[in-house]
Amino acid sequence: MNIKEIARRAGVSSATISRVLNNSGYVKEETRQKVLKAVDEYNYVPSAIARSLSIQDSLSVGTIIPDIENEFFSKVISGISEVAESYHYNIVFLGTNETLEKEHDFLKIVESQRLKGVIITPISETDTVTRDYLLRLEESGIPVVLVDRDVKGAQFDGVFVDNQQGSYDGVMALIKAGHERIAIITGPETSKPGKDRCQGYLQAMEDSGLSVPEEYVACGDFKIAKAYECTGRLLGLKEPPTAIFTSNNLSTLGCLKYLTENKVKIGRDISLMGFDDIDALRMIDYRISVVDRDAREQGREAMRLLQECFEDSGKSRQKGKRITIPYKVILRGSEHRKTT
């Protein structure tokens, strides 16, 4: 199936197909939907993408992640590459930008181009389209390893961290520092790490006999802009929190952006604990307390696990191996509560 055939079946020109797939130029929404439906129906992979991923040497591994610009995922990629290079594999990195449609398209490419294996951080644990793609890949002999985020309704190999306990311990550090009014900027509801970190926060508050006003649970999306907005809402409350727990590194940056712009001083006006460290802040000695894990090691373990799948691809191998890497709470002072 080529672009001309897709155009004929969709009743549009080849140029229109190109504009839709490359997101360039104006196309009426009705026409765009018609094109996307035809592309999906006939499992069309754009030839330019296919050529750039011409991977018939069986030495290429696909890595699908939600946010290439996120420092955590950059470190994961670094770890994957380190181990992959020792086996002389080519790594193809595909960033979904937390967009399910892109994730589905990339999985279609993995399937059509017959990559050796795939490491993926799925956007949503509940998305059945991604789950079914991954199951089909494994059935066709392309092993799958999850990293950081899980998928419901299937048992894939994966490398994770105990997000709930990590969050629990981070919030407990705030409570031990004297805080009672603690808010959280959560991750997206479809993300298992986001849900687990929120659950850890709630459990720590409950175990300490502390109430959680509904407005203290600010719904974020693991992005800077949303965390910035959430921080403003939290500090604008009639009774604002004395401390905020941010559920990932970008949420921490969004929170810090708001605090800085509004001259809210950490340690004097607010306390802060984040999930995942931020190298740039450490390098300028900006001391933020965090729950941290070794993201590079998480990537290394994911690639080692995929290699294990390659070496023992027989039906005797039990699928669904789970590796949990350790975390640590690093206290640098931003958890302290002003007492004067």
Side-chain angles (χ1 to χ4, degrees):
M1 183 72 65
N2 58 38
I3 193 169
K4 288 184 178 179
E5 292 170 322
I6 288 290
R8 180 171 56 80
R9 292 175 185 271
V12 298
S13 68
S14 298
T16 299
I17 298 286
S18 179
R19 283 198 298 274
V20 171
L21 295 179
N22 292 299
N23 196 27
S24 63
Y26 174 74
V27 178
K28 288 196 299 186
E29 182 60 24
E30 181 182 353
T31 304
R32 192 177 77 85
Q33 291 300 326
K34 187 190 301 183
V35 168
L36 292 175
K37 182 179 179 182
V39 166
D40 183 63
E41 183 178 352
Y42 297 105
N43 200 31
Y44 172 66
V45 178
S47 58
I49 297 177
R51 281 196 300 273
S52 67
L53 297 175
S54 182
I55 327 178
Q56 301 304 326
D57 58 6
S58 75
L59 289 175
S60 293
V61 171
T63 299
I64 303 175
I65 60 172
D67 191 349
I68 291 174
E69 295 181 356
N70 185 320
E71 179 182 321
F72 168 75
F73 290 114
S74 297
K75 291 178 179 178
V76 170
I77 289 171
S78 176
I80 291 170
S81 299
E82 182 182 323
V83 176
E85 285 173 10
S86 68
Y87 291 103
H88 307 291
Y89 296 134
N90 303 311
I91 300 293
V92 177
F93 298 112
L94 303 166
T96 62
N97 196 30
E98 300 281 7
T99 305
L100 279 173
E101 289 78 10
K102 284 188 177 181
E103 183 171 274
H104 300 160
D105 288 344
F106 289 154
L107 286 169
K108 198 178 296 184
I109 290 169
V110 171
E111 185 177 39
S112 65
Q113 296 300 309
R114 300 295 302 171
L115 274 70
K116 187 175 181 66
V118 62
I119 297 172
I120 180 173
T121 299
I123 293 168
S124 168
E125 67 166 343
T126 59
D127 183 61
T128 57
V129 175
T130 287
R131 182 200 65 197
D132 291 347
Y133 266 123
L134 296 175
L135 286 170
R136 195 157 66 240
L137 287 174
E138 289 217 321
E139 288 170 3
S140 69
I142 301 174
V144 171
V145 171
L146 306 179
V147 61
D148 197 50
R149 301 183 191 175
D150 212 343
V151 171
K152 274 188 175 180
Q155 280 294 310
F156 299 107
D157 293 343
V159 185
F160 307 96
V161 70
D162 191 337
N163 288 291
Q164 184 168 332
Q165 189 62 45
S167 175
Y168 180 96
D169 290 348
V171 174
M172 285 302 296
L174 290 170
I175 293 169
K176 288 174 183 176
H179 294 282
E180 296 182 353
R181 303 202 311 271
I182 303 171
I184 183 174
I185 299 176
T186 71
E189 293 182 356
T190 56
S191 158
K192 191 172 190 303
K195 289 196 296 185
D196 285 352
R197 291 169 196 173
C198 186
Q199 186 57 46
Y201 156 81
L202 293 171
Q203 193 64 55
M205 297 293 281
E206 181 181 336
D207 289 353
S208 301
L210 299 175
S211 62
V212 180
E214 184 179 342
E215 59 269 25
Y216 276 21
V217 180
C219 298
D221 60 1
F222 284 161
K223 297 286 190 179
I224 290 174
K226 189 69 172 180
Y228 179 97
E229 177 188 318
C230 289
T231 304
R233 286 206 305 272
L234 289 171
L235 296 188
L237 294 172
K238 185 176 181 180
E239 189 172 38
T242 63
I244 299 174
F245 182 82
T246 50
S247 292
N248 83 327
N249 53 358
L250 295 185
S251 296
T252 302
L253 288 173
C255 179
L256 288 173
K257 184 174 187 289
Y258 182 90
L259 298 179
T260 301
E261 289 182 3
N262 290 275
K263 296 180 173 53
V264 180
K265 187 175 176 58
I266 294 174
R268 183 192 68 190
D269 307 313
I270 194 74
S271 296
L272 183 64
M273 171 77 67
F275 203 108
D276 283 333
D277 210 354
I278 301 171
D279 285 349
L281 296 182
R282 285 195 299 108
M283 285 189 283
I284 61 172
D285 200 30
Y286 201 114
R287 303 179 64 79
I288 300 298
S289 298
V290 294
V291 180
D292 194 34
R293 47 8 200 314
D294 190 337
R296 286 188 179 83
E297 184 59 21
Q298 200 162 347
R300 291 186 200 105
E301 286 287 4
M303 190 62 230
R304 290 178 191 131
L305 192 50
L306 191 61
Q307 178 62 21
E308 185 180 307
C309 296
F310 296 154
E311 293 174 352
D312 187 10
S313 58
K315 292 184 178 179
S316 61
R317 183 182 185 277
Q318 186 174 356
K319 295 182 179 181
K321 183 174 180 179
R322 323 290 274 187
I323 296 173
T324 302
I325 66 164
Y327 67 86
K328 56 186 175 181
V329 178
I330 304 173
L331 301 180
R332 299 191 176 113
S334 69
E335 78 282 1
H336 288 165
R337 182 176 185 272
K338 183 184 175 186
T339 56
T340 59

